[in-house]
């Protein structure tokens, strides 16, 4: 068995290449005021929406049964904070004059929350199905909305619906965790980068 020994110059070159490879994998926050591009996935979904406008195929539903004390006002404030924390939930997609998509990030605004009641779980499911049958407007937004259905004073069903251009399975789990923490008065840590930073990194 032979042992290969690298020269000092080759070791330095290898270390330099490894550092560059690691840097290329690191996503950093973009400069303030920089509008991110669409990611490849967002561009594909935008194109499919142009092909079949008004579809609900790309609506991502997240439903949670919430038992125990629930403060609707605290939930509304928590949702407002969620929208402020995650710029993807304030994103819209315009069509430019040359027919290409352009991403717009709006400033923080109150979340869209509708509070209603249902006699039982079956009636609640019917309400939520009707909500999910309403398509999103990619150009005018918002692309994120919520419905809270009250079954009893200590029993609720929460539906979060968003377009797939602004949410996926992983991020929906993050939003639910942060939402419940904020409702209970905690302040979960903010992510150092957002999806727009990832899109800019991907395009680069």
């Amino acid at each position: 068995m032979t042992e290969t020994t690298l020269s000092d110059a080759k070791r330095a070159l290898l270390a330099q290449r490894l550092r560059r490879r690691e840097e290329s994998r690191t996503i950093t926050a973009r400069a303030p005021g920089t509008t991110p591009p669409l990611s490849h996935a967002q561009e594909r979904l935008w194109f499919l929406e142009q092909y079949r406008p008004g579809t609900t195929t790309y609506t991502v539903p997240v439903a949670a049964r919430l038992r125990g004390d629930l403060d609707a006002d605290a939930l509304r404030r928590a949702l407002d904070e969620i929208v402020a924390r995650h710029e993807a939930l304030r994103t819209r997609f315009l069509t430019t004059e040359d027919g290409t998509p352009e991403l717009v990030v709006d400033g923080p605004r109150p979340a869209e929350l509708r509070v209603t009641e249902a006699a039982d779980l079956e009636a609640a499911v019917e309400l939520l199905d009707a909500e999910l049958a309403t398509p999103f407007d990619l150009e005018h937004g918002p692309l994120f909305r919520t419905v809270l259905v009250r079954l009893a004073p200590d029993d609720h069903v929460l539906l979060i619906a968003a377009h797939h251009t602004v949410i996926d399975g992983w991020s929906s789990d993050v939003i639910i965790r942060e939402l419940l923490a904020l409702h209970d008065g905690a302040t979960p840590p903010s992510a150092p980068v957002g999806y727009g930073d990832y899109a800019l990194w991907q395009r680069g």
Side-chain angles (χ1 to χ4, degrees):
M1 179 173 157
T2 60
E3 181 178 346
T4 301
T5 303
L6 295 177
S7 67
D8 290 342
K10 288 183 177 180
R11 286 179 183 275
L13 180 60
L14 178 60
Q16 183 182 46
R17 287 179 176 175
L18 289 174
R19 281 196 302 271
R20 286 179 179 173
R21 181 175 296 179
E22 188 62 31
E23 288 170 0
S24 69
R25 295 176 180 173
T26 302
I27 302 173
T28 58
R30 65 188 187 279
T34 303
T35 301
L38 280 74
S39 69
H40 296 311
Q42 287 176 324
E43 189 171 35
R44 182 171 63 253
L45 288 166
W46 174 87
F47 173 79
L48 293 171
E49 281 279 359
Q50 309 312 300
Y51 182 69
R52 292 184 57 197
T55 181
T56 58
T57 302
Y58 307 108
T59 296
V60 178
V62 182
R65 188 83 175 265
L66 305 177
R67 299 182 185 274
D69 293 334
L70 180 69
D71 185 335
D73 290 335
L75 179 65
R76 191 180 298 275
R77 291 192 296 271
L79 283 166
D80 290 347
E81 177 64 21
I82 289 291
V83 171
R85 290 164 69 97
H86 299 281
E87 66 176 12
L89 304 180
R90 296 180 271 114
T91 297
R92 296 181 290 116
F93 301 86
L94 305 183
T95 302
T96 62
E97 292 183 357
D98 61 359
T100 59
E102 181 179 74
L103 189 147
V104 174
V105 179
D106 294 321
R109 62 172 182 269
E112 187 172 314
L113 171 65
R114 184 164 66 90
V115 180
T116 186
E117 296 184 357
D120 52 34
L121 186 58
E122 183 178 352
V125 171
E126 290 182 1
L127 286 171
L128 300 184
D129 283 345
E131 181 67 30
L132 293 173
T134 303
F136 286 101
D137 185 331
L138 291 187
E139 182 171 356
H140 297 99
L143 304 182
F144 171 83
R145 59 179 182 255
T146 53
V147 178
L148 180 68
V149 182
R150 181 177 182 269
L151 301 174
D154 60 349
D155 191 5
H156 298 78
V157 179
L158 175 68
L159 172 70
I160 293 176
H163 196 274
H164 197 21
T165 50
V166 301
I167 201 172
D168 58 14
W170 179 83
S171 57
S172 63
D173 290 342
V174 172
I175 287 171
I176 285 291
R177 288 198 303 270
E178 290 188 358
L179 179 63
L180 296 179
L182 289 164
H183 172 269
D184 293 339
T187 304
S190 298
V193 295
Y195 191 76
D197 302 314
Y198 163 75
L200 188 62
W201 170 84
Q202 183 189 62
R203 292 291 185 178

